[in-house]
Amino acid sequence: MALAPSPAAVSALSPPQPSYKLAIGSTLFALATAIAVLSVNAVCLRQAVDPGLLWFCWVFAGICVSALLVVLWYALAAVNASRRSEALLNRGLVIEARAASELSHQESYVTFGLAITLLTVVALVSIVTMNNGTVQQTFLQSTLMIASVKDVSQAFLVNVFMAVVDTDVWHM
C-alpha cells in the first residue's frame, strides 16, 4: 500500500522551479538552428557541381532535416512539460508539477545540446563541401594522407617525448 503525503506536507513543499522561459529559449534556439542549418545546406547544394559531391550534399541535407526534426521534437516536449507543470501547480499537485518542471528542464538542455552538436557538424561538413569541395580536393586526398602517415606519426611521437619525457627542454 503506497503512502500518500498529507495535505500539510504537500502545502509545505516549495513550488517547482520556473521552466517556461528556458523551454521557450530552447525552442527559439532550435528554430534559429533550423534556419542556419537549412541555409548552409542550400548554399552547399547550390555550389556543388561535381555529381558525387552533389549526391553527398543531398544525402547530408536529408540527414540534417531528420536531425532538425529530433531537435524540434525535444524543444516542443520541453514547452509541453512546462505548460503541464503550470497546470498541475494550479490544481495543487505540487509533487507532479515539480516532476513535470524537471522534465521540462531536461528536455530543454537536451535541445540545446543536440542543436549545438548539429551546428558543429554542419559547420565542419560545410567547410569541406563549400566551393564545390575544393578543401576536400586539396587537403583530404587519401593517397597523400596514406603516404604521410609515417611522417605524421614520427612527428607526433617527438612531440609526446618533448612534452612528457624531456622536461629539461622547458627549463633552459
Side-chain angles (χ1 to χ4, degrees):
M1 179 169 145
L3 296 175
S6 69
V10 170
S11 65
L13 290 174
S14 61
Q17 291 183 347
S19 59
Y20 194 67
K21 289 180 183 177
L22 181 64
I24 292 298
S26 70
T27 302
L28 291 175
F29 189 70
L31 291 173
T33 299
I35 291 169
V37 167
L38 294 175
S39 299
V40 168
N41 276 313
V43 169
C44 289
L45 285 167
R46 209 174 312 120
Q47 291 181 351
V49 177
D50 180 68
L53 182 62
L54 185 62
W55 177 83
F56 173 80
C57 289
W58 275 109
V59 169
F60 186 70
I63 292 169
C64 286
V65 167
S66 300
L68 282 172
L69 291 175
V70 172
V71 171
L72 290 171
W73 176 270
Y74 276 103
L76 294 176
V79 172
N80 187 30
S82 177
R83 293 180 66 198
R84 190 169 1 115
S85 172
E86 289 178 15
L88 289 168
L89 187 60
N90 289 338
R91 290 188 0 215
L93 301 171
V94 178
I95 296 172
E96 291 84 356
R98 289 175 68 160
S101 175
E102 186 57 37
L103 179 63
S104 175
H105 281 96
Q106 179 180 342
E107 303 289 1
S108 295
Y109 294 136
V110 168
T111 300
F112 283 121
L114 289 174
I116 290 171
T117 301
L118 181 59
L119 286 171
T120 304
V121 169
V122 167
L124 292 173
V125 170
S126 69
I127 288 171
V128 174
T129 59
M130 288 287 183
N131 296 326
N132 199 29
T134 54
V135 171
Q136 182 268 333
Q137 294 168 358
T138 304
F139 298 107
L140 301 177
Q141 295 180 12
S142 60
T143 54
L144 294 177
M145 291 172 70
I146 291 171
S148 65
V149 165
K150 181 180 176 187
D151 295 332
V152 171
S153 300
Q154 287 176 342
F156 176 73
L157 291 175
V158 168
N159 285 336
V160 168
F161 178 79
M162 288 176 60
V164 175
V165 178
D166 193 15
T167 57
D168 291 335
V169 172
W170 303 108
H171 302 288
M172 290 187 194

